[in-house]
Amino acid sequence: MHDQLQEARELVLAAGNELVREGLIARTWGNISARISDTQFVITPTGRAYHTLKAEDIVVVNVKDLSWEGDIRPSSERGVHSMIYQERPEVNFVIHTHQAYASALSVSGDDIPAQEVIPCSRYGRNASPEIQANMRRAVHDHSAQTAFLMQHHGAVGFGGSREQAFESCYQLEQRSRDWYRRICGSDVPELRFGYTAPKPEGDFSGDIDLSDRPFVRDGRIAMLSRAPYTKILAAKGRELPAYIEDFAQIAGVSVTCVASLEDEAAIEKALSACDAVLVKDQGALCTGVSREDVEAQCMIFEKNCLAALLAEKTGAAPVEPADALWDRDGYLESYSKLIATNL
C-alpha cells in the first residue's frame, strides 16, 4: 500500500508541473488527484504553487466523507473529484484545469454542439454542493465523455491513467479552440493550448514594467500587459466584467478602462477597488505583490478577455455580480493570504 501511495503522489506531483509547463493553469489554480483504492484518493493541497510541492504534500482523502489525513488541507474542489471516482469506477486520475479556450467556451453554461459534443456543467460557486451536483448531473448524462466544461470556471478531464487524463484535457482544448475560432473568426489571435508559450525568465514579451509609477503603492509590482486579446478589449474602451471566476478573484468584479497611462488620478481610483485596469488602446495594467503574482494576473486577464470576446458573439452573460463579489471577497480574505504564505 505504501508503494502505491507513493507512486500516486509522485504522479500527481509530476502532473502539476506539466500543467504549469503546458500553460493549462496559472499559479495555484486547478487541482489534480489519483485514486489509490476504492475508498481513498490523493489530491493536491489548496493554495500551494505546484513548483513548491513535495510528494508528501499530496493529501490522502477518503472518497465517501471527504475527510483527510494529516495537517495539510486538500483542494477545496475535492468533492468534484470524489464524485467522479464514485460515478466512474474505471477512472483513476482526474485533472481540473482553467485552460483558456475551454474556460472561455464555458461562459454560456450550455453543451457545445461541436462535431463531438462538449458537455458543460451549469454554474455553482467554488466548492459548493451546487457545483458538485451540477457536475454529477453532467457526468451522468454524458457517460461516454471524459472531458467537461464547468460554467464560468474551467474544465475537468479524467481517465484510467495520468496519460489518459492529460489526453482528455489536451483534446478538449483543441476542440474548444476550433469551436472558438469558428464563432469568433479564423483571424483572431491563436494561443498555444492554455495561454501563450512559457516565457523565459525576465522576459515579459513586450509587456512594460510600470512599478515605479506613483499610483503603484506599498511596494507592489505593476506591468502593462500587451497580450493579444487584452489589447482587443482595451481598444473597445469600456468596462470589463468577470466572465471567469478566477478573474473576479485576482483582478476584480469588474475592471474599468482609463483613457491613458498619463491619467494617474483615474488609475489610482481604479486600483483602489481592483488590482487591474484597462488602458485604452494599450492593454491592461496588472498589479500584484510579486512578479509571479503579476504574471499570473496577466495570464488570467488574457483568458477573461478571450471569454469576453466570445460573449460578444454569443450573448453569454458574465458571472453574476453577487457571485463575482463572493469570489473576490473569499480570495482577498483567505486564499490570497494562503498563497502568499506558501510561496
Side-chain angles (χ1 to χ4, degrees):
M1 177 65 177
H2 173 76
D3 291 344
Q4 186 178 359
L5 172 59
Q6 186 65 21
E7 181 183 4
R9 281 173 157 164
E10 289 176 357
L11 283 173
V12 167
L13 191 63
N17 289 322
E18 184 173 347
L19 286 180
V20 174
R21 187 169 61 250
E22 293 296 332
L24 292 172
I25 57 171
R27 212 180 187 188
T28 68
W29 276 263
N31 34 77
I32 308 157
S33 71
R35 189 197 295 269
I36 53 175
S37 71
D38 290 340
T39 60
Q40 290 184 315
F41 61 94
V42 294
I43 194 168
T44 46
T46 188
R48 299 282 293 272
Y50 291 93
H51 71 273
T52 69
L53 294 178
K54 299 176 182 177
E56 57 266 28
D57 297 325
I58 309 302
V59 187
V60 178
V61 176
N62 294 309
V63 170
K64 289 294 185 182
D65 63 5
L66 300 180
S67 59
W68 66 88
E69 298 179 3
D71 299 326
I72 299 175
R73 188 175 183 84
S75 167
S76 61
E77 298 294 359
R78 57 192 176 275
V80 170
H81 292 250
S82 174
M83 178 277 297
I84 292 171
Y85 289 128
Q86 292 179 71
E87 288 286 324
R88 299 283 185 89
E90 77 280 7
V91 169
N92 295 310
F93 210 90
V94 178
I95 302 173
H96 167 45
T97 76
H98 292 190
Q99 56 202 65
Y101 284 110
S103 297
L105 253 62
S106 79
V107 296
S108 71
D110 297 326
D111 297 345
I112 306 301
Q115 184 174 2
E116 180 184 357
V117 68
I118 305 176
C120 185
S121 66
R122 303 292 292 187
Y123 177 74
R125 287 181 175 179
N126 288 320
S128 68
E130 184 181 12
I131 197 173
Q132 295 173 33
N134 291 343
M135 190 65 203
R136 183 186 296 274
R137 188 175 301 111
V139 170
H140 182 270
D141 291 346
H142 299 273
S143 59
Q145 298 287 354
T146 59
F148 292 78
L149 308 178
M150 302 172 73
Q151 187 178 18
H152 296 307
H153 189 85
V156 63
F158 46 82
S161 66
R162 170 179 174 268
E163 292 77 16
Q164 290 175 1
F166 261 103
E167 184 62 21
S168 292
C169 293
Y170 289 138
Q171 289 296 324
L172 174 63
E173 192 69 352
Q174 181 73 42
R175 290 159 55 205
S176 297
R177 185 205 66 172
D178 292 346
W179 191 258
Y180 186 95
R181 292 170 67 82
R182 176 175 173 175
I183 295 171
C184 294
S186 60
D187 59 339
V188 293
E190 183 171 347
L191 305 183
R192 176 184 179 271
F193 283 116
Y195 303 99
T196 56
K199 299 173 183 177
E201 182 63 30
D203 175 25
F204 274 79
S205 301
D207 297 349
I208 302 173
D209 191 333
L210 296 174
S211 302
D212 59 349
R213 291 294 184 99
F215 47 72
V216 182
R217 304 299 180 93
D218 303 322
R220 292 171 70 84
I221 293 173
M223 301 298 300
L224 179 68
S225 171
R226 291 178 159 180
Y229 284 92
T230 298
K231 288 189 70 175
I232 290 172
L233 268 293
K236 296 178 182 296
R238 59 175 183 257
E239 190 171 354
L240 176 66
Y243 286 91
I244 307 295
E245 283 183 322
D246 50 16
F247 179 86
Q249 293 171 354
I250 197 171
V253 172
S254 191
V255 169
T256 59
C257 186
V258 300
S260 76
L261 285 171
E262 305 311 312
D263 193 348
E264 296 185 349
I267 293 175
E268 186 168 6
K269 181 180 178 181
L271 292 179
S272 67
C274 299
D275 288 327
V277 58
L278 281 166
V279 182
K280 182 74 166 66
D281 297 323
Q282 294 293 310
L285 180 65
C286 298
T287 69
V289 297
S290 67
R291 187 182 187 88
E292 185 179 35
D293 198 32
V294 176
E295 284 187 312
Q297 187 176 140
C298 290
M299 293 168 72
I300 290 168
F301 205 106
E302 177 75 343
K303 181 177 64 174
N304 194 69
C305 291
L306 196 80
L309 187 62
L310 181 75
E312 284 187 4
K313 303 287 187 180
T314 63
V319 180
E320 287 289 337
D323 292 323
L325 183 60
W326 183 87
D327 278 316
R328 178 68 172 166
D329 287 346
Y331 176 80
L332 293 176
E333 290 172 8
S334 59
Y335 196 74
S336 62
K337 296 173 184 177
L338 181 61
I339 293 172
T341 299
N342 290 316
L343 286 179

